[in-house]
Amino acid sequence: MRFDPANKLPKRRGSIFVISAPSGTGKSTLIQRLRILVRGLAFSVSYTTRPPRAGEKNGREYFFVSRAEFKQRMARKEFVEWAEVHGHHYGTSWQQLQKAQEAGQDVLLDIDVQGYKKLRRRIPETVSVFLLPPSFRELEKRLRHRHKDAPEVIAKRLEASRKEVAHWKEYDYLIVNDRRATAVQALRDIVLAARWRRECQERRVKEISKTFVGG
Ligand code: ADP
Ligand code: 5GP
């Protein structure tokens, strides 16, 4: 990222990207690959009361906290949005978003449809992507093959997916995660194209346009 020496502000404003998908679609897999492909893309690490899955690390996938701590953070208004998903609380930290935006970094949020609605009300320029599996049956297969959730948890997530998918119309972009490589490429295209949006380039262009005044 290049900085403007005059005021130390980054030339480009960072964007906020939301990715939502029914659990098991492949969102975490695609996000992991996207982050390797695209530089300057931060990931918002949410707070959750869900227990960690095998292989998950505190501070990497999530900050794993107790219900009491989550409530304290809610009371202190630390979350830009929060929601109850599959019986657990999940929340996005205001501070993380602000820090990244101030540094001119893009931030990626993996949040559910309720959280996205709340966020979009507060930050309307949010860029949103809804990921879908090729079919319900394929989603079921992916959840089972992941071997990370108990059968009753899988059943709950599958049931929730029926409602979640109905929200696809509220998103800016739709990607079907059929072939992994194609889906990652599509995500990359969206993130890179957003960097040229007027909102992101405005600061720089205003400086340039000043040089055209008078004379
Ligand atoms: P989510 O984060 O959406 O809950 P995961 O990234 O954990 O989902 O993926 C769920 C399972 O599906 C994993 O076992 C993953 O390897 C697999 N998977 C992801 N993308 C694809 C794909 N395009 N085709 C087949 N399997 C996939
Ligand atoms: P998982 O438990 O599988 O990691 O995530 C379950 C769901 O919670 C996913 O749909 C994920 O997008 C959502 N989620 C994760 N973090 C947040 C958050 O901070 N806010 C909201 N609203 N949803 C979240």
Side-chain angles (χ1 to χ4, degrees):
M1 181 60 50
R2 283 211 299 141
F3 283 86
D4 177 347
N7 58 13
K8 303 277 184 241
L9 280 173
K11 291 239 185 237
R12 184 175 68 77
R13 210 178 87 182
S15 297
I16 294 176
F17 297 92
V18 163
I19 304 188
S20 302
S23 179
T25 300
K27 198 170 25 147
S28 315
T29 311
L30 298 184
I31 289 176
Q32 234 177 3
R33 291 177 184 211
L34 180 71
R35 292 181 68 199
I36 296 168
L37 279 181
V38 179
R39 290 180 61 190
L41 183 61
F43 180 69
S44 156
V45 181
S46 297
Y47 285 80
T48 183
T49 60
R50 160 168 89 61
R53 294 194 186 113
E56 285 183 333
K57 211 171 121 191
N58 191 40
R60 190 178 62 192
E61 284 82 7
Y62 288 103
F63 290 105
F64 297 98
V65 296
S66 64
R67 278 195 171 241
E69 182 177 340
F70 194 95
K71 284 200 172 141
Q72 278 170 8
R73 289 181 183 275
M74 258 168 66
R76 291 202 295 263
K77 302 208 184 316
E78 287 184 20
F79 300 129
V80 53
E81 66 73 34
W82 68 270
E84 188 171 339
V85 193
H86 313 313
H88 299 288
H89 286 84
Y90 294 82
T92 304
S93 149
W94 251 126
Q95 205 194 11
Q96 277 185 47
L97 284 198
Q98 275 166 342
K99 266 193 181 168
Q101 283 227 295
E102 278 161 21
Q105 254 194 333
D106 293 325
V107 199
L108 192 64
L109 274 68
D110 167 349
I111 62 174
D112 84 317
V113 291
Q114 313 165 65
Y116 163 58
K117 277 189 190 180
K118 291 187 208 164
L119 186 81
R120 187 118 198 202
R121 257 182 258 134
R122 299 183 87 161
I123 311 175
E125 63 273 23
T126 300
V127 179
S128 60
V129 181
F130 194 77
L131 273 180
L132 293 110
S135 67
F136 181 83
R137 287 202 62 164
E138 173 64 20
L139 182 67
E140 189 174 11
K141 221 166 87 186
R142 287 184 192 176
L143 275 170
R144 291 193 202 293
H145 289 176
R146 184 164 68 178
H147 299 303
K148 288 210 173 149
D149 297 301
E152 59 277 15
V153 172
I154 291 181
K156 215 173 177 183
R157 287 176 181 238
L158 278 174
E159 216 28 64
S161 76
R162 298 185 193 277
K163 287 195 189 130
E164 287 162 353
V165 163
H167 290 273
W168 63 268
K169 287 187 186 153
E170 292 151 37
Y171 286 74
D172 301 319
Y173 296 95
L174 302 170
I175 301 176
V176 177
N177 181 21
D178 196 348
R179 269 194 71 235
R180 254 174 273 219
T182 311
V184 174
Q185 195 64 35
L187 280 174
R188 175 181 170 272
D189 291 347
I190 291 166
V191 171
L192 295 185
R195 293 185 170 171
W196 304 100
R197 286 192 312 159
R198 191 180 58 237
E199 296 93 312
C200 300
Q201 295 292 335
E202 218 163 34
R203 194 180 287 154
R204 183 175 189 194
V205 171
K206 274 183 181 162
E207 278 173 39
I208 294 172
S209 67
K210 274 188 214 156
T211 68
F212 285 78
V213 177

